């Protein structure tokens, strides 16, 4: 089946630094989603992308749907301690009716040093 | 709006015992899902229900059964628990309609240990 490669697996950054992480697929996706999971909680949807080349922001978070449709990027600007958590990408090869199963990356664990 | 709720939050079982994990959503979503999350494995789909009255197997269905009780509720049952089923279980739901078709919203999880 499809696989999503998410990198880096983990990162330690200083508070105030910008963060970049990405997700690549072996096949074309038409939907990319980014989630954040904090310890002991369920994943929370941050950003949804539906169009190649699309750039979408949510506060200090910006995500892009890659032009090739095989990748997506998430950037966090001016990191703060509450950004700590695991960030997951998820994708789907279809859009609209008939599609239910998302493919998830294994996550990027972000640690922020005050 | 509570979103997606799950009960219980924690559970310890002995091998061979049975239990049902409950999930409910108040967003009027059509589709519901059960995942398990294990270290290094990410989220894996166990079963899903595309709409009320239908259920389908996901990636790892063995050892589980599900019931879509109504549009709001989707339960996961372990008939004879095994240590390999120790995991964190998440329920999710999605509207499965329109532009936000694939956006899934997750509950807080049930942490299950099988001894």
């Amino acid at each position: 089946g499809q696989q999503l490669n998410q990198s880096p697996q983990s990162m330690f950054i200083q508070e105030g630094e910008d963060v970049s992480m990405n997700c690549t697929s072996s096949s074309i996706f038409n939907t990319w989603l980014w989630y954040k999971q904090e310890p002991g909680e369920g994943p929370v949807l941050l950003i949804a992308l539906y169009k190649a080349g699309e750039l979408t922001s949510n506060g200090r978070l910006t995500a892009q749907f890659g032009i090739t449709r095989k990748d997506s990027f998430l950037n966090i600007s001016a990191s703060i301690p509450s950004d700590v958590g695991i960030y997951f990408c998820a994708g789907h090869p279809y859009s609209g009716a008939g599609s239910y199963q998302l493919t998830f990356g294994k996550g990027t664990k972000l640690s922020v040093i005050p | 709006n509570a979103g997606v709720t799950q009960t219980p939050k924690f559970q310890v079982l002995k091998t061979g015992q049975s239990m049902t994990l409950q999930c409910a959503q108040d967003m009027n979503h059509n589709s519901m899902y059960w995942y398990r999350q294990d270290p290094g494995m990410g989220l894996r789909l166990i079963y899903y229900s595309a709409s009320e009255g239908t259920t389908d197997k996901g990636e790892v269905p063995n050892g589980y059964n599900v019931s879509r009780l109504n549009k709001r509720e989707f339960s996961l049952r372990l008939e004879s628990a095994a240590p390999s089923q120790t995991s964190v279980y998440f329920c999710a739901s999605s509207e499965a309609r329109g532009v936000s078709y694939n956006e899934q919203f997750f509950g807080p999880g049930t942490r299950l240990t099988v001894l």
Side-chain angles (χ1 to χ4, degrees):
Chain A
Q2 286 134 8
Q3 292 187 350
L4 286 184
N5 295 310
Q6 192 170 348
S7 64
Q9 282 188 314
S10 63
M11 50 195 320
F12 291 82
I13 61 167
Q14 289 286 140
E15 182 176 356
E17 286 184 349
D18 295 344
V19 174
S20 290
M21 59 190 78
N22 70 80
C23 211
T24 59
S25 166
S26 56
S27 56
I28 290 172
F29 279 3
N30 283 327
T31 301
W32 285 100
L33 306 172
W34 285 92
Y35 288 86
K36 178 188 178 186
Q37 185 177 24
E38 297 185 16
E41 303 292 332
V44 174
L45 182 63
L46 299 173
I47 293 178
L49 301 160
Y50 288 97
K51 193 174 176 183
E54 182 181 356
L55 190 72
T56 297
S57 293
N58 178 4
R60 292 177 296 105
L61 278 62
T62 301
Q64 185 164 22
F65 193 138
I67 291 291
T68 66
R69 294 181 177 268
K70 291 185 177 182
D71 54 13
S72 180
F73 307 87
L74 176 70
N75 296 313
I76 305 173
S77 62
S79 58
I80 59 178
S82 62
D83 289 333
V84 164
I86 301 176
Y87 292 79
F88 291 97
C89 61
H92 202 286
Y94 306 110
S95 56
S99 58
Y100 300 102
Q101 300 191 40
L102 292 177
T103 299
F104 284 87
K106 293 189 178 178
T108 293
K109 186 175 182 180
L110 178 63
S111 301
V112 179
I113 304 166
Chain B
N1 271 2
V4 179
T5 57
Q6 293 183 237
T7 56
K9 196 163 177 67
F10 300 94
Q11 184 71 50
V12 178
L13 293 177
K14 294 181 180 177
T15 297
Q17 286 185 318
S18 63
M19 79 160 295
T20 300
L21 281 65
Q22 306 287 353
C23 173
Q25 52 90 10
D26 63 1
M27 296 176 282
N28 201 35
H29 282 173
N30 292 308
S31 300
M32 298 184 74
Y33 313 81
W34 276 106
Y35 291 90
R36 60 178 290 172
Q37 185 178 42
D38 303 291
M41 301 294 290
L43 285 157
R44 293 184 292 171
L45 185 65
I46 304 171
Y47 270 93
Y48 67 97
S49 170
S51 60
E52 189 178 351
T54 68
T55 61
D56 282 287
K57 295 178 180 179
E59 181 185 354
V60 288
N62 291 345
Y64 305 95
N65 285 302
V66 291
S67 295
R68 182 76 182 266
L69 304 170
N70 47 56
K71 190 171 185 179
R72 289 188 64 248
E73 299 172 287
F74 189 37
S75 62
L76 178 72
R77 182 160 179 84
L78 287 70
E79 290 290 352
S80 179
S84 60
Q85 293 178 304
T86 294
S87 186
V88 182
Y89 292 85
F90 290 102
C91 178
S93 71
S94 66
E95 189 171 11
R97 189 169 49 195
V99 68
S100 61
Y101 196 99
N102 289 308
E103 295 177 18
Q104 293 184 18
F105 297 87
F106 286 79
T110 294
R111 282 137 192 89
L112 175 68
T113 300
V114 183
L115 303 175

